[in-house]
Amino acid sequence: MNSQSVQSLFKPFANGNMTLSNRIVMAPMTRQFSPDGVPGSDVVAYYRRRAENGVGLIVTEGTVIDHPDASNQGGVPHFYGEAALNGWAGVVNAVHEAGGRIIPQIWHMGARGHVGDYSQSDITAIVQAFAQAAFEAKRLGFDGIELHGAHGYLIDQFFWEKTNPRTDNYGGDMIARTRFAVEVIEACRRAVGPEFPIVLRFSQWKASDYNAKLAETPALLEKFLAPLVDAGVDIFHCSTRRFWEPEFEGADLNLAGWTKKLTGKPTITVGSVGLDGDFMSLFTEGKGAGNTKIDGLIERLEREEFDLVAIGRALLVDPAWANKIRDGRTAELIPFTSEAVKTLY
């Protein structure tokens, strides 16, 4: 693939007060290299390297809000407290100095039991913690925020019928199960104002069920997405394991394609871009992945099926992936290995 054929990947993109130099997004990837929740100089350098090497937008690893249940993993960075926020200020400054743009992924990893255990006061406190994190992101100079609403974590636990047994206003039918997310989005919007982009990452699949679907048909997906659009989502980050797989029978649109078609909002696609194996093989088989062509991705981007492309493992192992793709230096791409997850490079 020559540099001319990837031109669509390097067109600028704008949303609200955020302008990107190209369509390449660094996908959020948990790294667990922040002792006591504080990102240090190595984390600063990690993100700066990707900005220096042509990534248009960096989405940070998941950062946890100020709530006791928000994290159950050591080394996951916080998005509260003076030390952690000062660490993130260093990351933002470094990325901007390198010409990049960056948003934090704001995260609550889930209820310790299930979402039915939370009282109204618990929910109110969690919503406020999300809003406070959004406020801090804008204060620190980030270019937007991403709310993690995928993969069985807290927001998604409210979405999914199997993990939301509530019988009050936060449970019940598909629309009712979006209420918690709607309150989070609305609170974040009040905290950041109208022009600060809010991205929502969502998924159909769950870590416990790769074939799960929140919405079995396009009509149900439209019904699910509508309240989230009304609440203030600017961009949907549509998490799939393989970007080329159709979301529904009868059309080859993937989840990002359907989401854009149904909402009119910009979307980010993701899922094994540039690699010949999906990311779960790392955990199930300890396997890496080789590089593969991205012609199919470019074709979909050129017909505007989606707007942005998130790159995960390929950027994890090769900070210069974007520049190499732009310059046609595909022979220099570094294959992903399982060792890559053990270092902060």
Side-chain angles (χ1 to χ4, degrees):
M1 177 171 289
N2 59 44
S3 58
Q4 182 65 29
S5 65
V6 298
Q7 184 178 3
S8 60
L9 200 53
F10 292 89
K11 291 180 178 178
F13 172 84
N15 184 274
N17 59 12
M18 179 178 71
T19 300
L20 309 179
S21 62
N22 62 52
R23 305 303 178 99
I24 297 174
V25 177
M26 180 177 180
M29 292 174 283
T30 297
R31 308 299 289 131
Q32 295 183 267
F33 283 99
S34 296
D36 299 318
V38 178
S41 58
D42 54 346
V43 176
V44 173
Y46 167 76
Y47 288 115
R48 181 176 55 225
R49 275 191 288 273
R50 277 74 188 170
E52 290 172 340
N53 281 283
V55 173
L57 175 65
I58 292 168
V59 183
T60 74
E61 61 208 284
T63 69
V64 296
I65 62 171
D66 188 8
H67 184 261
D69 294 347
S71 176
N72 59 14
Q73 296 179 4
V76 171
H78 297 168
F79 213 79
Y80 62 89
E82 183 178 2
L85 293 174
N86 285 343
W88 284 117
V91 172
V92 172
N93 292 338
V95 167
H96 285 171
E97 286 171 2
R101 297 291 179 265
I102 184 169
I103 64 176
Q105 186 187 75
I106 299 173
W107 195 17
H108 187 301
M109 294 178 69
R112 294 182 187 274
H114 56 70
V115 299
D117 296 333
Y118 286 141
S119 65
Q120 181 62 60
S121 62
D122 294 323
I123 290 174
T124 299
I126 294 169
V127 169
Q128 180 53 42
F130 272 105
Q132 184 63 36
F135 172 84
E136 298 291 2
K138 186 174 183 182
R139 181 182 68 83
L140 293 175
F142 280 93
D143 300 289
I145 61 167
E146 175 170 290
L147 300 171
H148 196 339
H151 308 157
Y153 298 117
L154 185 64
I155 292 175
D156 192 36
Q157 287 177 344
F158 276 88
F159 285 153
W160 202 22
E161 187 176 16
K162 290 184 178 180
T163 52
N164 183 353
R166 299 181 73 102
T167 57
D168 61 3
N169 292 336
Y170 295 97
D173 65 17
M174 179 176 282
I175 298 299
R177 295 197 307 272
T178 67
R179 177 171 176 172
F180 175 71
V182 164
E183 291 187 2
V184 169
I185 296 160
E186 290 177 341
C188 289
R189 177 58 70 203
R190 290 192 294 270
V192 301
E195 296 300 315
F196 195 73
I198 294 178
V199 182
L200 177 69
R201 191 176 213 212
F202 80 101
S203 67
Q204 298 258 50
W205 69 272
K206 316 297 169 215
S208 60
D209 184 356
Y210 300 145
N211 297 315
K213 285 193 183 296
L214 282 167
E216 295 282 355
T217 66
L220 287 173
L221 182 62
E222 184 174 24
K223 184 177 179 181
F224 166 74
L225 294 170
L228 307 174
V229 172
D230 292 344
V233 172
D234 295 301
I235 301 170
F236 285 97
H237 187 172
C238 307
S239 181
T240 52
R241 296 171 65 205
R242 306 173 182 93
F243 77 87
W244 59 86
E245 292 185 343
E247 192 60 31
F248 303 110
E249 291 184 8
D252 67 351
L253 291 176
N254 68 11
L255 183 60
W258 274 111
T259 299
K260 181 177 180 177
K261 179 177 181 177
L262 295 171
T263 67
K265 292 291 184 179
T267 59
I268 306 171
T269 197
V270 69
S272 303
V273 175
L275 298 177
D276 62 4
D278 76 53
F279 83 104
M280 291 307 300
S281 63
L282 172 66
F283 304 102
T284 58
E285 305 170 44
K287 290 172 56 177
N291 296 305
T292 190
K293 293 180 179 180
I294 59 171
D295 303 68
L297 176 82
I298 297 299
E299 290 171 6
R300 289 170 179 260
L301 185 61
E302 287 177 344
R303 62 177 182 253
E304 300 182 345
E305 181 175 334
F306 39 74
D307 302 272
L308 298 162
V309 178
I311 315 297
R313 291 167 296 153
L315 266 175
L316 189 69
V317 71
D318 193 346
W321 187 91
N323 283 346
K324 290 177 181 178
I325 291 292
R326 181 197 63 199
D327 298 338
R329 295 185 286 132
T330 55
E332 299 176 25
L333 293 172
I334 301 171
F336 176 77
T337 67
S338 59
E339 294 301 312
V341 301
K342 301 176 184 178
T343 60
L344 193 66
Y345 173 62

